[in-house]
Amino acid sequence: MKPIKLVMSAFCSYAYRIELDMTAFKGRGLFLITGDTGSGKTTIFDAIAFALFGEASGSTRGVETLRSDFAKPDTETFVEFTFLHRGKQYTVIRNPRYERPKRSGQGLTTESANATLVLPSGDIITGLNNVTVKIESILGINYRQFKQIAMIAQGEFLQLLLANTKDRGEIFRRVFNTDLYQMAQSLLKEREREARKRCDSIEQSIIQYISGISTSESEIGQKLTDRISNVTIHTAEDVLIELRELISEDTSKRNDLQRKADELEQKLADQIARITTGQYINQAFQNLKVAEKKEKTLVANLEKHKKE
């Protein structure tokens, strides 16, 4: 927010209409408000805070005491504040509740508190609460936060210093408009939680699979069994290394057994071939004996016929 013009009428220590044109500083970002005690320095801050939020800048002055005790009865009490915010100009006019002479007749009447806000579009918002709510929406801070960071009254700076981390964080977040980063942070945290849940689930699955590993009775197998009984996700890599060693050992043994099995299978095939050949030979001898027997019988019968 950049102040442009401040008008005060019968406000606090200023009995008449006072206009402060901030454009006279010609864009200078730093300047000093100085003067004797009671000259009205704090009143300037009270006027800005009152125009924006309907409250004084400090805690020692109430809204009901903002009308100047030196003002003429017919002088209106109000504050008009024009400011720039993000390149757009706003003007807010606000008056406190005070008593003034009746416009007709004798005696006093009460002027009700009121507020008006002119937006950059030219639209006008009226009503105390409506204007305050809109100002809070525009600036992104409320009255309490405004006092702590932008319009700190004498003796109240300590309140900001002593504010807890959460309150200070909320103030600075709204002032510097870091909502986007907070949303990103929340989104990343949520994704981190989801990723952690998936990671925990995967870790449990890994532990479950490792616990179901069966090992051999070899030295490596027994060592692996002991490690599996106390396995954690942090020792899973060690289990994997030893499991690979066991697999390598088992693979070597399997290859040796496979080679011996192949040799035995070949020997068995050779024996089967020899047995089969022997069976053929034995069958041939048996056939030969039968043939010889038949031959003898035929020869004997032939000799008998010749003698007859």
Side-chain angles (χ1 to χ4, degrees):
M1 182 187 72
K2 181 179 180 181
I4 299 298
K5 187 174 69 171
L6 177 65
V7 177
M8 297 173 287
S9 176
F11 187 81
C12 294
S13 57
Y14 297 103
Y16 306 101
R17 176 188 173 96
I18 300 294
E19 181 174 324
L20 300 179
D21 185 3
M22 308 295 184
T23 60
F25 295 109
K26 299 181 179 179
R28 293 183 178 88
L30 182 65
F31 53 88
L32 175 67
I33 297 177
T34 183
D36 296 333
T37 300
S39 61
K41 302 185 296 298
T42 302
T43 301
I44 296 174
F45 299 110
D46 286 337
I48 293 175
F50 174 73
L52 294 173
F53 302 101
E55 300 284 350
S57 64
S59 57
T60 59
R61 194 192 305 266
V63 177
E64 66 280 357
T65 64
L66 294 180
R67 177 170 171 82
S68 175
D69 295 333
F70 309 104
K72 293 181 179 181
D74 58 347
T75 302
E76 295 182 3
T77 296
F78 69 90
V79 173
E80 178 181 330
F81 181 50
T82 301
F83 63 94
L84 287 177
H85 182 68
R86 296 185 178 181
K88 296 181 179 180
Q89 181 170 302
Y90 301 83
T91 298
V92 58
I93 303 171
R94 194 186 294 261
N95 66 271
R97 182 176 179 270
Y98 65 95
E99 291 185 345
R100 62 170 177 79
K102 294 181 178 179
R103 291 188 174 86
S104 61
Q106 300 295 321
L108 300 175
T109 186
T110 300
E111 183 74 25
S112 300
N114 199 7
T116 302
L117 174 64
V118 181
L119 301 176
S121 62
D123 294 336
I124 297 176
I125 297 176
T126 60
L128 296 175
N129 292 333
N130 293 337
V131 170
T132 301
V133 169
K134 186 62 177 179
I135 289 293
E136 290 177 353
S137 173
I138 293 170
L139 299 182
I141 54 176
N142 58 29
Y143 166 67
R144 180 178 61 86
Q145 294 165 336
F146 180 79
K147 287 205 310 174
Q148 288 180 308
I149 57 168
M151 198 69 66
I152 304 177
Q154 288 179 318
E156 296 188 3
F157 181 67
L158 185 62
Q159 294 181 12
L160 175 60
L161 298 180
L162 297 181
N164 60 43
T165 302
K166 181 179 179 181
D167 290 342
R168 284 201 304 268
E170 175 68 14
I171 292 169
F172 292 137
R173 179 181 66 82
R174 299 185 67 177
V175 169
F176 296 109
N177 195 27
T178 59
D179 288 347
L180 177 63
Y181 303 103
Q182 186 180 41
M183 291 175 58
Q185 183 182 31
S186 299
L187 180 61
L188 291 174
K189 284 184 177 180
E190 179 62 28
R191 290 185 177 180
E192 188 273 338
R193 284 192 292 267
E194 293 177 356
R196 173 52 56 188
K197 289 181 181 178
R198 292 195 298 269
C199 182
D200 290 342
S201 177
I202 293 172
E203 288 179 356
Q204 290 299 321
S205 297
I206 291 174
I207 297 299
Q208 182 178 358
Y209 285 126
I210 289 177
S211 299
I213 294 175
S214 298
T215 61
S216 64
E217 296 182 356
S218 66
E219 181 180 353
I220 297 178
Q222 291 303 311
K223 182 180 178 182
L224 181 58
T225 299
D226 294 339
R227 189 175 293 279
I228 289 175
S229 63
N230 299 306
V231 67
T232 66
I233 193 61
H234 302 293
T235 60
E237 185 67 23
D238 297 331
V239 172
L240 181 59
I241 293 174
E242 294 180 7
L243 180 60
R244 287 171 178 167
E245 293 179 1
L246 182 61
I247 291 174
S248 178
E249 181 185 71
D250 289 346
T251 300
S252 179
K253 290 181 179 179
R254 184 201 64 183
N255 293 337
D256 290 340
L257 292 174
Q258 184 64 48
R259 179 177 55 78
K260 291 178 181 180
D262 291 342
E263 292 176 355
L264 290 175
E265 186 175 355
Q266 184 61 44
K267 289 180 181 180
L268 178 61
D270 293 342
Q271 292 296 328
I272 291 174
R274 291 190 183 98
I275 291 172
T276 302
T277 301
Q279 289 175 343
Y280 286 148
I281 293 173
N282 289 336
Q283 185 64 42
F285 278 120
Q286 290 178 3
N287 292 338
L288 178 60
K289 289 180 181 180
V290 172
E292 288 177 344
K293 187 176 181 180
K294 287 182 179 181
E295 182 181 10
K296 288 180 181 180
T297 301
L298 291 174
V299 170
N301 291 334
L302 182 60
E303 290 295 332
K304 182 178 179 182
H305 286 301
K306 286 182 177 179
K307 290 180 180 182
E308 293 179 356

